[in-house]
Amino acid sequence: MQKKLTLGFIFALFVCVTFLPIVWMFGNSIYGDGGFSFVYYKDIFLTQKYIKVISNSLILASITALLSSFVGIPAGFFLAKTNLPFKGFFKMCFFIPLIIPSYTTGIAWANLLGKTGFLNNILSQYMLFSPESVSNFIYSIYGASFVLSINLFPVIMLITEYALKNLNPRLEESGLVTGSVFRVLRQITLPLITPAIISSMMIVFVLSLSEFGIPSLLQVNVLTTQIFTQFSAFYNEKAATAIALPLIAITFVVMTLEQVYLQGKSFEILGRRGSNSTIKYDVKWLSVVGVIFCTLVLIGCVIIPLSTLIFSAQTISAYHDAILLAKRGITNSVLFGSIGATFLTFMGFFLGYLSEKIQSRLRNSTALFIWLFFAVPATVLGIGLIKLCNRPEGIFQFIYGSLWIVIIGYVARFSPLSSRIMANYLKQIPHSMEEAGTVIGASWYRILGNILLPLQSHGLIATWLISFMFCIGEMGTTILVYPPGHETLPITLFTVMANSPANIVSALSIIIVVMTLLPVGVFLAISKYLIKSQIAQ
């Protein structure tokens, strides 16, 4: 009974925070002036007005998923299957693009490839490109896909590496006895990890589809920017809501297709062996190719963007001015991010438990339902929260005018992500651990406090830190709902980009990068300490 009540309450809370604003928003978009009207939906689905915008969103997401896989799959392979020198260094550096907000990378590449950019001048002088063609590339759907793929390729890299490390080594050993490395890769290894690769590409596709920051920065006309324009410029929340429907429909179709494809695919070969038993392809030329490939990725995805931002800031005074300009934003980001991450970790644990540990016929449907909301654009959630909370009576007005509207936005935006992270960690706990507590008559709360939570210390820390990083970088929802005086650092950056010198903008971007990377260092230090403590015991 304790388990049912707790999980039921958490799921109801998730529905209220995430599902209710969206339902309220869509209901408001079709009802008004005493009757129902589908005029905005007819404008989208029965005319050609938004065909170009929808196709742009699909192109952006598709190209980003493909480019990310072209980088992420080889990177994951070299990290998992070769004796790559400096493997730990490369892996740590490859985390950086995923951790930092995407628009900071976009600012760096816009500075490089804009009309007066350093790299634009080199390409126009020595590669026979015109400055306009290079600038037009970065400010296009292809440039946006390029920047997004830099930020999202680590998703595919990590999932590919995990899948390769957890293959049953006997399958590859049998192939290597009779065939070459290429034959084993083509006929055994790649087919076995294809489901994992498809899943990772789906995640990147969904993240790209709902991205607002990069398309807005690079002036690409996609559904998320149209939603923001309709609401902020024309104050037409009904049109903005209607434009969101194709995004949700596309996401639902993509996720359903993935479920259908993966149905019947066996993962029993995954997760049954430790990474120490992974088969390594001890071929010297593979290691050489791996070093060259990883070095090029490191230069293009990490060194060039960060160096550009540092160089553009130019002087220490720029950082001083940026800190003075964004002092309130820095304080709010740390405070809001900490509170939001705490709520997300709490929600994520129980939602992950619900989708992973509860045996029922609706288990897969529950996980799909929770994950689907991660694809809802941040701007859509922002509009839904405004429509629900912007009321003069009672608690709603208190929420709307305080920091809690921002916290609710974080929880609504990232609860699916934190639940997915916790669900993956909870997979590592066998059912027998919980059953043992039940056998001796312990209550579920006691099992929770004495078994599940202690065993999930790493997972809880990782979930909190990842949630904190996402909260610090969140802009799409926050820019719509934040009350006066509660602006965060990304909002400050978004505001000053049009009115401040480039060196101030670059300095602010570096500050965001440092604030986002700092928790990673804390997490690595804590993890290293815990591992040493366990070894000592």
Side-chain angles (χ1 to χ4, degrees):
M1 183 59 70
Q2 291 177 342
K3 180 192 295 188
K4 290 182 179 179
L5 288 176
T6 303
L7 295 179
F9 171 76
I10 295 297
F11 187 74
L13 184 61
F14 170 76
V15 170
C16 290
V17 170
T18 304
F19 186 61
L20 187 58
I22 297 173
V23 171
W24 192 283
M25 180 182 60
F26 278 104
N28 183 74
S29 70
I30 62 175
Y31 184 81
D33 299 326
F36 290 94
S37 174
F38 295 90
V39 60
Y40 295 108
Y41 293 92
K42 290 178 181 178
D43 196 30
I44 292 173
F45 293 104
L46 299 181
T47 67
Q48 297 185 349
K49 184 176 180 179
Y50 287 100
I51 290 178
K52 180 65 174 176
V53 180
I54 295 173
S55 64
N56 283 346
S57 294
L58 288 171
I59 292 170
L60 175 69
S62 301
I63 295 177
T64 302
L66 288 174
L67 289 177
S68 298
S69 65
F70 289 154
V71 178
I73 294 173
F77 169 78
F78 288 124
L79 290 174
K81 288 293 185 181
T82 65
N83 295 316
L84 186 71
F86 312 110
K87 184 180 296 186
F89 171 76
F90 281 123
K91 186 174 181 179
M92 191 188 318
C93 291
F94 290 162
F95 270 115
I96 294 176
L98 179 63
I99 294 168
I100 64 177
S102 59
Y103 49 85
T104 58
T105 307
I107 291 172
W109 281 100
N111 290 343
L112 272 174
L113 297 177
K115 287 184 179 181
T116 59
F118 172 74
L119 193 55
N120 189 335
N121 292 332
I122 292 177
L123 291 174
S124 60
Q125 283 184 353
Y126 300 104
M127 301 293 291
L128 302 179
F129 291 107
S130 65
E132 291 77 15
S133 64
V134 177
S135 178
N136 290 339
F137 165 77
I138 195 63
Y139 287 97
S140 71
I141 194 168
Y142 304 104
S145 300
F146 168 72
V147 173
L148 274 176
S149 65
I150 289 175
N151 278 91
L152 295 176
F153 87 86
V155 173
I156 296 179
M157 178 197 75
L158 291 172
I159 294 177
T160 301
E161 182 191 9
Y162 175 82
L164 287 169
K165 282 187 174 181
N166 287 277
L167 282 175
N168 190 328
R170 288 196 295 266
L171 296 171
E172 294 176 293
E173 286 172 351
S174 301
L176 289 172
V177 170
T178 59
S180 64
V181 170
F182 278 117
R183 189 175 179 183
V184 172
L185 277 175
R186 188 177 68 254
Q187 298 183 357
I188 297 178
T189 306
L190 287 179
L192 288 174
I193 66 169
T194 295
I197 292 174
I198 294 296
S199 293
S200 66
M201 292 182 68
M202 183 277 294
I203 293 173
V204 171
F205 182 91
V206 170
L207 289 172
S208 305
L209 198 65
S210 60
E211 171 69 22
F212 167 74
I214 290 299
S216 175
L217 174 68
L218 300 180
Q219 304 168 24
V220 177
N221 189 19
V222 293
L223 287 168
T224 50
T225 55
Q226 277 290 317
I227 292 168
F228 182 79
T229 301
Q230 287 291 338
F231 184 77
S232 62
F234 301 113
Y235 305 102
N236 192 342
E237 74 275 0
K238 295 186 177 183
T241 302
I243 295 171
L245 187 60
L247 274 176
I248 298 174
I250 292 168
T251 302
F252 181 78
V253 169
V254 169
M255 295 180 71
T256 302
L257 290 175
E258 186 218 9
Q259 291 284 332
V260 171
Y261 175 79
L262 295 181
Q263 190 173 9
K265 298 288 191 302
S266 175
F267 282 86
E268 290 301 314
I269 57 166
L270 298 177
R272 302 302 184 190
R273 300 277 177 167
S275 59
N276 290 333
S277 62
T278 302
I279 291 294
K280 297 289 181 66
Y281 298 137
D282 191 13
V283 182
K284 187 174 181 180
W285 66 267
L286 263 181
S287 298
V288 173
V289 172
V291 170
I292 295 172
F293 177 85
C294 290
T295 301
L296 292 175
V297 173
L298 177 64
I299 292 172
C301 297
V302 181
I303 295 177
I304 288 179
L306 293 184
S307 300
T308 301
L309 291 174
I310 294 171
F311 179 78
S312 298
Q314 294 178 351
T315 61
I316 299 297
S317 62
Y319 293 97
H320 178 265
D321 294 340
I323 291 174
L324 291 179
L325 187 65
K327 186 185 298 184
R328 179 181 293 175
I330 294 172
T331 304
N332 288 340
S333 290
V334 174
L335 176 62
F336 297 174
S338 300
I339 298 173
T342 302
F343 277 97
L344 284 166
T345 304
F346 176 80
M347 293 279 290
F349 178 84
F350 289 104
L351 290 174
Y353 184 93
L354 179 65
S355 61
E356 181 60 34
K357 290 296 185 180
I358 299 299
Q359 300 295 330
S360 71
R361 291 178 297 177
L362 298 177
R363 175 179 167 183
N364 291 333
S365 300
T366 302
L368 179 63
F369 177 80
I370 294 172
W371 182 243
L372 180 63
F373 288 101
F374 190 51
V376 176
T379 46
V380 174
L381 281 174
I383 295 170
L385 288 172
I386 290 172
K387 297 300 297 181
L388 183 63
C389 297
N390 188 16
R391 299 177 174 279
E393 66 274 7
I395 192 173
F396 289 107
Q397 189 57 37
F398 166 74
I399 292 174
Y400 184 71
S402 68
L403 66 89
W404 295 109
I405 187 70
V406 179
I407 303 302
I408 291 173
Y410 289 161
V411 173
R413 182 82 178 97
F414 299 122
S415 285
L417 177 65
S418 64
S419 69
R420 177 61 66 95
I421 295 169
M422 284 307 312
N424 288 332
Y425 277 97
L426 286 165
K427 286 179 182 178
Q428 301 171 359
I429 299 179
H431 290 285
S432 58
M433 301 290 290
E434 191 172 347
E435 291 170 354
T438 305
V439 168
I440 64 173
S443 67
W444 189 68
Y445 288 146
R446 189 175 178 185
I447 294 171
L448 192 66
N450 294 337
I451 298 176
L452 296 179
L453 291 177
L455 288 174
Q456 283 303 308
S457 57
H458 286 280
L460 292 170
I461 292 172
T463 302
W464 192 93
L465 288 170
I466 292 172
S467 299
F468 179 77
M469 289 183 290
F470 272 89
C471 288
I472 279 187
E474 208 288 321
M475 183 172 68
T477 299
T478 311
I479 198 171
L480 291 174
V481 304
Y482 78 95
H486 291 77
E487 63 271 11
T488 59
L489 190 53
I491 304 303
T492 305
L493 176 61
F494 188 82
T495 304
V496 304
M497 276 194 296
N499 306 313
S500 298
N503 63 330
I504 300 295
V505 174
S506 298
L508 269 177
S509 301
I510 291 295
I511 292 171
I512 292 177
V513 170
V514 173
M515 286 182 61
T516 312
L517 289 178
L518 189 60
V520 180
V522 174
F523 174 64
L524 292 175
I526 293 174
S527 299
K528 189 174 181 180
Y529 173 77
L530 291 175
I531 292 171
K532 286 184 176 179
S533 299
Q534 291 174 356
I535 293 174
Q537 293 175 358

